[in-house]
Amino acid sequence: MSSIFVDPHLQNQNYLEQVIDAMPAGLVMVDAALRACSMNRMMADLLGVPDDLLLEQELALDDLIACPELARHAAEALASGTPQDNVLVTLDGRADGVRYVDFNIRRTRKDGSYMLLLIGQDITFRRKARLRLQESEEFFRLTFSQAAVGIVLLGADGRVLRTNSKMSQILGYTEIELLQRFFQQLTCAEDMAEEQALMTRLKLGQISDYQLEKRLLRRDGARVWVSVNVSSMRDVNGSQRFICVINDIQRQKQAEEALLRMANHDALTGLPNRVLMQDRLGQAIMHAHRAGRQVAVMFIDLDRFKHVNDSLGHDAGDGLIVEIARRLSNSLRESDTVARQGGDEFVVVLPDLAGQEDAARVARKLLDNLFQPTTLCGQEVFPSGSIGIAMYPRDGEDSATLLKCADSAMYGSKGQGGNHYSFYTAEMGAQAVEHLRMEGALQRALQRQEFLLHYQPVVDIGSGVVTGVEALLRWQPQDRAMVSPADFIPLAEETGLIVPIGEWVLLTAMEQQVAWRQSGLPPVRISVNLSARQFLGQDVAQCVAGLLARTGCDPGYLTLEITESVLMENPIAAAETMGRLAAMGVQLAIDDFGTGYSSLASLKRFPIHSLKIDRSFVMDLTQDADDAAIVNAVIALAHSMKLNVIAEGVETGEQLAYLSKQGCDQMQGYHFSRPVEPGRIEAMLRAGRG
């Protein structure tokens, strides 16, 4: 019987080697000469060396691991026996990138000699994670402090826990001062209820965030409009916090207020315009209907105002309009409304009247106050007006009917020589007869081809080059003088004749564009105004498509102009129509901007290319700070929406210089050219090409 003897010492050594090889840390053994004697598999993997390297040759520690710092700590541990911990070694040049190893060094004895055990822990992942965290924290710190918006961290009670420099800039407080305040102290009292309600919902988890526009109180007591976004979060202790991002929108609000005033008030007098007046009239009618009361609508037209303009000039005429507006306003109750209808026409709304005699008493007072002397250009003038009065509910039950009746009654006062008031009666038909006569003349004009187009150049302000023209309708009857567009276009609109006339204008303008192109001229953009009836009362997109196909006109050089008030009558239908026109390649412009009631923000829904500033704002922009501010705001906001801006009615070099300085793109007006016949436009274009 044979037996196998197993050396216990050898068995223990093999077991120890297996344990060392299986260690989750790297181990290298170094002798007293700092030469590597052995290493486990983990260390071989960390260093990227073959397992049997140390069997083939003896390597110095600094050859195996090129780190002077490690060698120094190893020598110190060998000499003193003091453990050396947390020696960081960077292993470079590996295929998988840089690795970081944390070494602990211990001295021991073997066979009577000192040895060193270098135990290395791979901390690459942990170190990189810490570096990324540090980088993230630094990025957050810089972003927080340098952000272009205000950022505030609030406690659950509203105390400011952290803020940035932009917030200090917005409110005028230092960061230390802000940290001593609650956000409630910085909020306008009028806005507090809405914000507290939203904050309560946020605290209860009913919403995850909210956004609102509000007013904050600056250190100097002034109010500043801001847009606030508030979100809920939890800190490391689980306490609820609120992060607020605050954007200063003061300038935007000021611009919106200027545009709102421009949309609802007459630029010259500051009185409500037609849109605001109609809104107030509608409210007065509803109140009167509920209370069983009456409403008077007065249409006031100044007598012989054209004579003032012709003899003393437009500046004197504007001065008179302003003075009349002041006198009318001072003669009325606070609940009454006086509005400028346009030109020398005013409308007064008297709500909550007992009867016609109340309206008559106010009319007599207005005429007396109007007929007081005033001095214009050194001349004493006695203004007077003709007043027509319509009563709700006797003469009509809606705004349009009452205004129409008051207008007709005003012509009755004119017929009596002016400086008179008249109530509307069913027998007032003189105006209707005149309308019928004019309507028949317009019908014949279309048949007899009495209409023609003049063209006003549109000029690039930067280069002075004619870049386009606006087609303007003129009526030259066969048997009398040319009729002003102001005298026949409103009637054409009212009767619906503007639709066939407008189609003729489109056709003629397109044919003219093609004729200029065929004569060798460079492409010229033609702008054509679309009337309210054309745009809202027929399929204008189908009409334009048919005319483009018929004439061969290039749609890329055709611009259709629509007034802003027309768009707002039915925005959904308008957006659909404009989308179809834009899809054809036709460009679209908003005409007479500022005389309606839209805002630039509301125009964003439409595919608009250009915006035309109404001449009433250009007229006095070099003398009137309000007009200048409005023009500046319109140009800036239009450019922010990538819209081309055209100024109408530019008559002086000073106006042109101001518009150029403000970055207005194009202009048209008498300073460059009046509307002229096609031949003179062709001469301009040829001269420009030459």
Side-chain angles (χ1 to χ4, degrees):
M1 184 176 195
S2 62
S3 63
I4 299 176
F5 174 75
V6 179
D7 184 349
H9 179 72
L10 181 60
Q11 187 177 27
N12 289 340
Q13 182 176 348
N14 289 338
Y15 177 73
L16 182 60
E17 288 176 353
Q18 291 176 16
V19 170
I20 291 173
D21 257 352
M23 284 175 59
L27 174 66
V28 60
M29 186 174 290
V30 178
D31 63 17
L34 294 181
R35 291 174 304 195
C37 304
S38 65
M39 72 179 76
N40 68 352
R41 186 175 305 279
M42 176 65 75
M43 183 59 75
D45 289 344
L46 280 173
L47 300 178
V49 300
D51 295 347
D52 55 356
L53 176 66
L54 298 184
L55 298 177
E56 299 174 357
Q57 56 180 309
E58 292 183 347
L59 288 177
L61 177 61
D62 54 3
D63 290 333
L64 183 65
I65 305 174
C67 178
E69 187 71 8
L70 180 65
R72 183 178 67 79
H73 280 280
E76 185 175 337
L78 189 65
S80 65
T82 303
Q84 305 290 311
D85 290 335
N86 304 121
V87 181
L88 182 63
V89 173
T90 302
L91 301 179
D92 212 346
R94 292 175 54 90
D96 57 353
V98 176
R99 302 195 73 81
Y100 301 94
V101 182
D102 185 39
F103 277 95
N104 292 331
I105 306 173
R106 298 291 186 272
R107 190 178 75 176
T108 186
R109 276 184 176 276
K110 182 181 179 185
D111 301 330
S113 299
Y114 285 126
M115 303 286 290
L116 291 179
L117 299 178
L118 280 71
I119 304 165
Q121 186 73 38
D122 187 350
I123 62 168
T124 303
F125 178 81
R126 189 166 72 240
R127 180 175 174 80
K128 287 184 176 179
R130 187 169 66 251
L131 290 173
R132 282 195 297 269
L133 179 60
Q134 291 173 349
E135 181 180 297
S136 177
E137 289 176 343
E138 178 67 10
F139 177 78
F140 170 78
R141 185 186 67 79
L142 290 173
T143 301
F144 187 91
S145 61
Q146 301 299 323
V149 295
I151 304 176
V152 176
L153 181 65
L154 300 178
D157 57 357
R159 180 182 291 277
V160 178
L161 303 177
R162 188 171 182 181
T163 185
N164 66 349
S165 57
K166 181 62 177 180
M167 198 67 216
S168 295
Q169 180 184 335
I170 292 173
L171 293 181
Y173 289 98
T174 66
E175 292 187 36
I176 297 299
E177 288 173 327
L178 285 174
L179 293 175
Q180 298 170 354
R181 282 164 171 76
F182 291 83
F183 210 60
Q184 293 89 328
Q185 296 173 280
L186 305 171
T187 299
C188 239
E190 298 94 301
D191 299 332
M192 187 67 71
E194 181 183 8
E195 175 127 45
Q196 285 182 331
L198 289 169
M199 185 68 77
T200 298
R201 295 183 63 196
L202 193 61
K203 289 179 179 179
L204 296 175
Q206 296 174 353
I207 54 175
S208 59
D209 57 71
Y210 67 83
Q211 188 275 334
L212 82 160
E213 293 181 356
K214 56 182 284 188
R215 288 156 293 182
L216 294 180
L217 299 172
R218 286 180 50 85
R219 194 176 191 275
D220 58 9
R223 300 180 176 195
V224 57
W225 275 101
V226 295
S227 173
V228 181
N229 288 78
V230 184
S231 302
S232 178
M233 59 176 288
R234 298 279 177 180
D235 64 12
V236 293
N237 299 317
S239 300
Q240 192 171 36
R241 299 286 184 260
F242 302 100
I243 188 76
C244 308
V245 179
I246 294 113
N247 191 23
D248 185 348
I249 59 170
Q250 183 71 5
R251 290 188 178 180
Q252 175 187 327
K253 279 292 183 181
Q254 289 172 342
E256 287 178 1
E257 288 172 3
L259 289 175
L260 182 61
R261 179 163 184 80
M262 176 178 68
N264 290 315
H265 292 79
D266 173 59
L268 177 62
T269 64
L271 293 177
N273 62 11
R274 180 184 181 90
V275 175
L276 184 56
M277 176 273 296
Q278 287 183 319
D279 179 69
R280 292 184 181 177
L281 176 54
Q283 293 179 31
I285 290 172
M286 287 190 294
H287 175 76
H289 177 72
R290 291 193 299 265
R293 301 284 284 177
Q294 299 186 40
V295 178
V297 178
M298 295 182 174
F299 203 105
I300 305 173
D301 186 271
L302 298 185
D303 299 326
R304 296 172 296 281
F305 177 73
K306 187 175 184 299
H307 177 69
V308 173
N309 265 342
D310 293 344
S311 60
L312 301 179
H314 288 284
D315 289 344
D318 287 347
L320 179 59
I321 291 293
V322 171
E323 174 61 17
I324 295 301
R326 186 189 66 80
R327 293 183 182 186
L328 292 175
S329 299
N330 291 341
S331 304
L332 299 171
R333 301 171 298 176
E334 188 175 344
S335 60
D336 300 332
T337 296
V338 56
R340 187 183 179 202
Q341 181 83 348
D344 61 338
E345 297 175 339
F346 297 85
V347 172
V348 171
V349 177
L350 305 176
D352 195 27
L353 299 182
Q356 179 173 307
E357 183 52 39
D358 290 341
R361 186 166 52 253
V362 174
R364 288 191 293 269
K365 180 180 179 181
L366 292 178
L367 290 175
D368 289 343
N369 289 344
L370 287 180
F371 197 65
Q372 298 298 320
T374 185
T375 301
L376 297 173
C377 300
Q379 299 290 323
E380 190 174 50
V381 177
F382 288 81
S384 65
S386 297
I387 302 178
I389 309 172
M391 299 296 297
Y392 168 87
R394 185 191 67 194
D395 300 324
E397 297 186 352
D398 60 82
S399 300
T401 302
L402 289 170
L403 286 166
K404 185 176 180 180
C405 291
D407 190 12
S408 296
M410 182 271 295
Y411 281 102
S413 297
K414 286 281 187 187
Q416 298 181 51
N419 195 28
H420 191 82
Y421 70 87
S422 300
F423 283 91
Y424 176 79
T425 64
E427 292 74 27
M428 288 180 172
Q431 186 68 23
V433 171
E434 175 61 21
H435 279 194
L436 283 174
R437 187 195 68 77
M438 182 73 80
E439 183 179 350
L442 282 173
Q443 291 277 16
R444 291 191 298 275
L446 201 55
Q447 297 168 356
R448 297 174 180 176
Q449 298 182 342
E450 293 178 348
F451 294 116
L452 64 152
L453 292 184
H454 282 183
Y455 298 89
Q456 185 170 42
V458 177
V459 181
D460 180 82
I461 291 179
S463 64
V465 173
V466 176
T467 57
V469 294
E470 179 181 359
L472 298 169
L473 179 64
R474 297 292 183 262
W475 179 16
Q476 177 61 73
Q478 295 178 2
D479 55 351
R480 54 196 178 98
M482 185 176 286
V483 182
S484 169
D487 293 335
F488 72 86
I489 288 182
L491 179 60
E493 281 272 10
E494 182 182 332
T495 60
L497 283 171
I498 196 67
V499 174
I501 293 173
E503 186 171 341
W504 176 87
V505 171
L506 274 170
L507 172 64
T508 305
M510 290 183 188
E511 289 176 340
Q512 183 62 69
Q513 186 213 63
V514 173
W516 279 335
R517 187 182 66 206
Q518 291 176 346
S519 69
L521 288 172
V524 58
R525 175 170 300 284
I526 287 189
S527 298
V528 179
N529 290 282
L530 291 182
S531 71
R533 287 256 189 169
Q534 275 181 287
F535 190 74
L536 300 174
Q538 66 167 156
D539 190 343
V540 69
Q542 182 179 0
C543 173
V544 170
L547 292 175
L548 287 171
R550 175 179 169 184
T551 61
C553 173
D554 184 350
Y557 286 94
L558 175 64
T559 295
L560 300 179
E561 299 183 7
I562 304 104
T563 59
E564 54 177 328
S565 55
V566 170
L567 294 185
M568 294 301 109
E569 284 189 37
N570 190 341
I572 296 176
E576 191 273 336
T577 298
M578 295 176 76
R580 291 170 61 192
L581 290 168
M584 300 176 197
V586 174
Q587 291 205 355
L588 299 163
I590 300 302
D591 192 21
D592 297 340
F593 183 77
T595 59
Y597 51 90
S598 66
S599 68
L600 280 173
S602 69
L603 296 181
K604 290 193 294 186
R605 75 185 80 173
F606 305 112
I608 300 164
H609 303 89
S610 300
L611 185 148
K612 302 185 78 171
I613 303 174
D614 186 65
R615 65 183 67 248
S616 62
F617 302 112
V618 175
M619 184 187 309
D620 295 322
L621 65 83
T622 57
Q623 290 86 31
D624 189 308
D626 289 339
D627 281 357
I630 290 169
V631 169
N632 295 349
V634 171
I635 293 173
L637 289 176
H639 282 170
S640 73
M641 295 169 61
K642 305 297 187 295
L643 297 179
N644 180 58
V645 183
I646 305 169
E648 297 182 295
V650 179
E651 298 185 356
T652 68
E654 291 79 5
Q655 292 169 349
L656 179 59
Y658 185 93
L659 292 166
S660 176
K661 183 179 179 182
Q662 297 305 317
C664 185
D665 303 298
Q666 295 174 311
M667 59 78 75
Q668 60 186 100
Y670 287 4
H671 181 67
F672 185 84
S673 173
R674 293 172 176 268
V676 295
E677 61 274 11
R680 291 182 62 183
I681 291 293
E682 182 172 343
M684 289 183 195
L685 295 173
R686 292 195 184 281
R689 185 178 64 176

